[in-house]
Amino acid sequence: MQAVAQTPLSAIAVPTLPPAFDTVYEAEFSFVCRSLRRLGASPHDVFDLAQEVFLVVLRRLCDFDASRPVRP
């Protein structure tokens, strides 16, 4: 009978879950608003544009590679 090679548990890739939306929102909201202002958004439109950014984040969060940083 042949011996079956066993992979040690430490070598098995465990999928990581993406961060929760509220965690991303709280951590990145001010950065997104500052970035929008630097990109030329009027102060009147910043919160509406930030909402649009986070709607995309919400839709795409399930596709996010959790091994990578959120901000870039």
Side-chain angles (χ1 to χ4, degrees), residues 52-70:
E52 294 294 327
V53 168
F54 283 103
L55 284 173
V56 173
V57 170
L58 182 61
R59 282 195 305 263
R60 301 291 309 275
L61 197 56
C62 62
D63 299 330
F64 177 68
D65 179 3
S67 67
R68 301 183 54 91
V70 172

Side-chain angles (χ1 to χ4, degrees), residues 1-71:
M1 185 184 308
Q2 288 184 340
V4 176
Q6 293 192 0
T7 305
L9 288 177
S10 61
I12 297 174
V14 176
T16 54
L17 297 174
F21 175 78
D22 58 339
T23 303
V24 174
Y25 181 85
E26 290 174 12
E28 304 300 335
F29 181 78
S30 61
F31 172 76
V32 168
C33 289
R34 284 192 313 271
S35 297
L36 290 167
R37 284 293 298 137
R38 269 185 273 135
L39 290 170
S42 74
H44 184 276
D45 294 332
V46 167
F47 292 120
D48 289 335
L49 292 169
Q51 180 180 0
E52 294 294 327
V53 168
F54 283 103
L55 284 173
V56 173
V57 170
L58 182 61
R59 282 195 305 263
R60 301 291 309 275
L61 197 56
C62 62
D63 299 330
F64 177 68
D65 179 3
S67 67
R68 301 183 54 91
V70 172
R71 193 168 282 188

